[in-house]
């Protein structure tokens, strides 16, 4: 992070007191002596030195400078600085994927004999990582209901080191009280980690609400156009440094090309998240009055149980919603299959609207009992609302819904 040379002063914009939208475009500014306006990509595995003495000084840490791209890369560093500025964190570690970010932070901050508390409503691969691999190294995990503060509090043990959640949750869009859970974590002397993938910093700033670390799948809204895999962890220098240590030794670092795509993605993040949220709200309102829809889950709707909480802790309500149709799996599939534009895929956070049936895809491996407990009925359909005209998105969903 700080072990690199400063760019020449004439290339540095004055960003003191800059607003979010300015930081999104200007923070982590990278310009080589060629003077290019758009940030350059540095696709190089290693770096050269002027002399044996300079190489020795750089390897030994007596001189700032790049050595090898598993350690540092200018394009990756520019992305890290920009995302850290947007999340309001001191430092950032970019990773090869969202899962690599979660893996690296767990490996860096947990050890055998530790205990963590995790929301039951987290990304499927996160549960697999914890259950299949973290447990193997004798880390104990307790799963709790995202909304039940008594369960969070009651699950704390003397060896609890980490609390982990996503808010709003997927696919039910339940909203956790981040300030309250941050307090429980502080009282326990644990680290509070928020997966901010659904909101992005354009919609929610978990560090300002008391989280210690924010984790991202940049694959989703930060890219926003479905091109690259990537991830990141943001927090204090003290908490990020051990994570960078894991990345340097284990290797799941971000490629310079992907970092460049994500840098460009951050420049339009605010505009895109606002447009995603506007489209999602318009669609949610239309779904709510449709006779063949029994329930709409979107925290931007006044009917959502945590709408007021979402209004206080989020700037935008995001682009993902879900709804239940009259009937069950057959009717839900009918709505999915009647679409002619919307993409049938479990991916989300794309300019293109996507639709999925969680009960037989993302949550298909759960037992009926686990699915019931998670509130995922067979009548549930999830939509990641894209940036097409919302009238066309509505038309595409109406085809199936009107025919039920
Ligand atoms: C997709 C996703 C991840 C994993 O990210 P990858 O980039 O696919 O590894 C983690 N958390 C959430 C909430 C996600 O949606």
């Amino acid at each position: 992070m700080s072990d690199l040379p400063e760019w020449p002063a004439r290339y540095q914009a004055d960003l003191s007191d800059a607003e979010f939208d300015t930081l999104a475009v200007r923070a982590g500014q990278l310009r080589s002596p060629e003077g290019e306006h758009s940030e350059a990509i540095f696709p190089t595995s290693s770096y050269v030195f002027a002399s044996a003495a300079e190489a020795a000084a750089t390897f030994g840490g007596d001189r700032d400078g790049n050595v090898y791209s598993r350690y540092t890369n200018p394009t990756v560093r520019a992305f890290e600085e920009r995302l850290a500025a947007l999340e309001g964190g001191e430092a950032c570690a970019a990773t090869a994927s969202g899962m690599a970010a979660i893996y690296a932070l767990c490996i860096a901050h947990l050890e055998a004999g530790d205990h963590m508390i995790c929301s039951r409503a987290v990304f499927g691969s996160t549960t697999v990582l914890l259950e299949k691999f973290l447990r193997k190294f004798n880390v104990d995990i307790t799963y709790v209901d995202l909304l039940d503060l008594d369960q969070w509090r009651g699950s704390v043990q003397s060896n609890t080191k980490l609390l982990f959640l996503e808010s709003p949750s997927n696919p039910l869009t339940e909203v956790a009280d981040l300030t309250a859970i941050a307090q429980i974590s502080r009282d326990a002397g644990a680290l509070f980690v928020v997966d901010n993938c659904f909101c992005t910093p354009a919609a929610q700033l978990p560090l300002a609400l008391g989280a210690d670390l924010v984790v991202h799948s940049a694959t989703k809204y930060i890219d926003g156009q479905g091109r690259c895999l990537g991830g990141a962890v943001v927090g204090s220098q003290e908490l990020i440094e051990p994570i960078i240590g894991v990345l340097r030794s284990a290797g799941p670092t971000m490629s310079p090309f992907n970092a460049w795509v994500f840098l460009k993605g951050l420049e339009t993040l605010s505009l895109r998240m606002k447009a995603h949220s506007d489209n999602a709200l318009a669609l949610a309102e239309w779904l709510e009055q449709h006779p063949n829809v029994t329930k709409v889950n979107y925290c931007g709707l006044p009917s959502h149980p945590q709408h007021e909480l979402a209004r206080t802790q989020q700037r935008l309500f995001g682009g993902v919603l879900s709804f239940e149709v009259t009937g069950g799996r057959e009717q839900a599939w009918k709505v999915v299959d009647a679409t002619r534009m919307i993409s049938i895929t479990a991916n989300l956070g794309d300019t293109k609207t996507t639709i999925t049936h969680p009960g037989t895809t993302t949550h298909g491996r759960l037992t009926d009992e686990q699915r019931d407990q998670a509130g995922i009925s067979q009548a549930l359909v999830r939509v990641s609302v894209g940036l097409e005209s919302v009238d066309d998105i509505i038309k595409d969903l109406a085809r199936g819904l009107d025919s039920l």
Side-chain angles (χ1 to χ4, degrees):
M1 312 292 309
S2 56
D3 55 351
L4 284 160
E6 291 301 322
W7 299 105
R10 67 194 162 100
Y11 295 138
Q12 288 191 347
D14 178 5
L15 297 177
S16 46
D17 304 322
E19 302 278 343
F20 184 92
D21 288 347
T22 306
L23 293 173
V25 175
R26 295 279 183 183
Q29 190 160 5
L30 171 61
R31 201 170 289 167
S32 83
E34 298 293 342
E36 70 282 356
H37 189 209
S38 174
E39 291 80 0
I41 313 175
F42 286 83
T44 180
S45 51
S46 65
Y47 304 82
V48 294
F49 306 100
S51 64
E54 190 181 288
T58 313
F59 271 78
D62 298 330
R63 173 187 172 272
D64 288 341
N66 299 297
V67 170
Y68 190 58
S69 279
R70 177 154 43 75
Y71 281 64
T72 52
N73 175 280
T75 320
V76 175
R77 185 175 70 123
F79 167 73
E80 290 172 335
E81 286 186 5
R82 188 169 293 176
L83 184 61
L86 295 182
E87 287 285 1
E90 269 174 13
C92 171
T95 57
S97 68
M99 290 319 303
I102 299 172
Y103 154 80
L105 84 86
C106 287
I107 295 297
H109 288 290
L110 293 172
E111 52 188 75
D114 284 350
H115 171 251
M116 71 177 276
I117 308 173
C118 185
S119 158
R120 215 171 268 126
V122 291
F123 189 65
S125 299
T126 303
T127 315
V128 174
L129 173 72
L130 303 184
E131 286 302 304
K132 206 167 163 188
F133 300 104
L134 222 51
R135 276 207 196 277
K136 208 164 80 166
F137 297 95
N138 195 25
V139 171
D140 193 19
I141 305 128
T142 303
Y143 294 94
V144 296
D145 181 326
L146 180 66
L147 303 182
D148 190 337
L149 293 177
D150 289 337
Q151 269 189 43
W152 284 99
R153 208 174 286 114
S155 300
V156 171
Q157 306 176 4
S158 58
N159 58 342
T160 302
K161 293 289 161 57
L162 203 147
L163 276 62
F164 189 99
L165 61 77
E166 293 167 21
S167 179
S169 69
N170 176 25
L172 297 181
T173 74
E174 292 177 326
V175 178
D177 186 336
L178 298 187
T179 311
I181 297 171
Q183 187 59 49
I184 293 169
S185 183
R186 251 192 316 276
D187 292 345
L191 293 179
F192 179 32
V193 182
V194 174
D195 182 333
N196 203 26
C197 170
F198 272 57
C199 275
T200 80
Q204 174 169 273
L205 297 170
L207 296 177
L209 297 166
D212 298 295
L213 290 170
V214 166
V215 62
H216 273 289
S217 167
T219 314
K220 312 296 166 51
Y221 288 108
I222 290 180
D223 174 4
Q225 292 163 70
R227 299 164 294 193
C228 290
L229 286 177
V233 193
V234 183
S236 66
Q237 187 79 34
E238 187 190 350
L239 292 177
I240 294 298
E241 253 165 28
I243 296 170
I244 288 177
V246 170
L247 296 173
R248 288 177 171 187
S249 298
T253 47
M254 180 178 280
S255 85
F257 176 78
N258 289 12
W260 179 80
V261 171
F262 296 136
L263 257 178
K264 296 287 124 188
L266 288 177
E267 292 181 10
T268 56
L269 184 68
S270 257
L271 289 171
R272 287 186 289 107
M273 288 312 290
K274 171 109 178 43
H276 280 293
S277 300
D278 288 349
N279 270 2
L281 182 61
L283 177 63
E285 285 169 348
W286 177 80
L287 286 166
E288 203 168 39
Q289 54 72 48
H290 197 285
N292 293 332
V293 173
T294 55
K295 190 172 181 214
V296 182
N297 304 306
Y298 184 62
C299 62
L301 288 174
S303 59
H304 187 284
Q306 294 94 43
H307 177 63
E308 281 309 314
L309 176 61
R311 274 167 54 99
T312 59
Q313 73 182 20
Q314 295 176 211
R315 260 190 291 194
L316 299 164
F317 299 115
V320 179
L321 59 78
S322 62
F323 58 96
E324 287 184 20
V325 299
T326 48
R329 195 192 82 170
E330 190 192 329
Q331 287 72 20
W333 277 24
K334 212 168 160 183
V335 172
V336 172
D337 289 340
T339 57
R340 290 184 202 158
M341 173 189 76
I342 297 174
S343 318
I344 305 174
T345 168
N347 197 27
L348 60 94
D350 199 292
T351 48
K352 297 179 174 70
T353 299
T354 67
I355 191 165
T356 190
H357 181 249
T360 49
T361 58
T362 50
H363 295 70
R365 270 177 301 179
L366 302 185
T367 63
D368 289 347
E369 194 189 337
Q370 286 171 324
R371 253 196 311 274
D372 284 348
Q373 203 182 12
I376 316 287
S377 88
Q378 290 296 334
L380 189 76
V381 175
R382 190 199 71 190
V383 175
S384 166
V385 186
L387 302 184
E388 305 95 336
S389 157
V390 73
D391 294 338
D392 290 330
I393 299 169
I394 286 173
K395 220 182 291 169
D396 213 20
L397 287 170
R399 201 172 292 117
L401 278 171
D402 291 351
S403 74
L404 295 184

